[in-house]
Amino acid sequence: MSKATHDIGTKPKREHGTTQSYIIGFLLSLGFTAIPYLLVVNKAVSGTMLLATILGFAILQMLVQVLFFLHLGRGPKPLYNVSFFVFTVGTILVVVGGSIFIMNNLHYNMTAAEVTTKLAQDEGISQVGGEKTGACQGVGANHKVTISGGKVSPLHTQASLCDTLTFINNDNTARDIAFGPH
């Protein structure tokens, strides 16, 4: 005969959720994913407001995941789980914040005037916005491209290093100019 004793009077503490809680968590996760997606696709919000909205829904999504699927705080030692979670979130914030800072700094530095001047020197561009860059001391041939009635003449222009291009727009429409095959 087994001498195992059973404590009938105590109910074990639930560490896992019920089917209903999993379904609620799943539906909330779908909603918190779909709403920012639709805001971006439909261009309902833009700029800083869009970023704030996406970050807000990301935080809500994280809370749903933690509460409904990871069951944080329901285990036998919830303080350890919460402290590890807080340190993990802190690490993620440092990595994401540092990445955004680095990308912003790179974007600022790559759009600076020095980069434009270096590219002008490397490509042999003698003027940018009417200001001389110092490249191409000797100017080559001048090629004129005329835009009139929505038509470009000539359709193809072959220019060499240090040649000049003059664009004449006879239309009252602003045009974008592209170089190379498209």
Side-chain angles (χ1 to χ4, degrees):
M1 200 170 229
S2 167
K3 293 188 177 186
T5 59
H6 297 287
D7 190 3
I8 301 172
T10 61
K11 191 175 184 181
K13 190 173 182 180
R14 290 186 66 98
E15 291 187 30
H16 298 288
T18 63
T19 304
Q20 181 181 5
S21 72
Y22 283 123
I23 291 172
I24 291 170
F26 177 70
L27 292 175
L28 286 173
S29 293
L30 285 178
F32 292 156
T33 302
I35 292 171
Y37 173 76
L38 292 172
L39 289 174
V40 171
V41 169
N42 295 328
K43 298 178 183 174
V45 183
S46 64
T48 307
M49 186 64 179
L50 178 64
L51 180 62
T53 304
I54 291 173
L55 288 176
F57 276 103
I59 290 170
L60 289 174
Q61 178 76 269
M62 181 185 70
L63 291 174
V64 166
Q65 297 295 323
V66 166
L67 295 175
F68 287 94
F69 300 111
L70 296 178
H71 313 292
L72 193 67
R74 293 187 187 176
K77 296 182 180 179
L79 182 60
Y80 293 124
N81 290 339
V82 172
S83 62
F84 283 125
F85 178 72
V86 168
F87 287 122
T88 302
V89 168
T91 303
I92 290 170
L93 288 176
V94 167
V95 169
V96 170
S99 298
I100 290 172
F101 173 77
I102 289 170
M103 288 186 290
N104 187 35
N105 194 9
L106 284 173
H107 175 71
Y108 174 76
N109 288 334
M110 290 304 291
T111 56
E114 300 98 35
V115 174
T116 303
T117 304
K118 180 171 178 356
L119 287 173
Q121 293 288 337
D122 292 346
E123 296 293 324
I125 301 171
S126 70
Q127 289 184 9
V128 175
E131 294 184 27
K132 295 200 178 283
T133 63
C136 289
Q137 301 302 326
V139 178
N142 183 13
H143 303 278
K144 291 185 180 181
V145 178
T146 306
I147 304 170
S148 183
K151 304 286 185 195
V152 178
S153 175
L155 286 176
H156 178 77
T157 303
Q158 184 71 34
S160 299
L161 190 64
C162 296
D163 284 355
T164 59
L165 291 170
T166 304
F167 293 93
I168 303 166
N169 187 1
N170 292 330
D171 296 342
N172 289 331
T173 306
R175 304 284 182 187
D176 291 328
I177 299 170
F179 296 94
H182 293 281

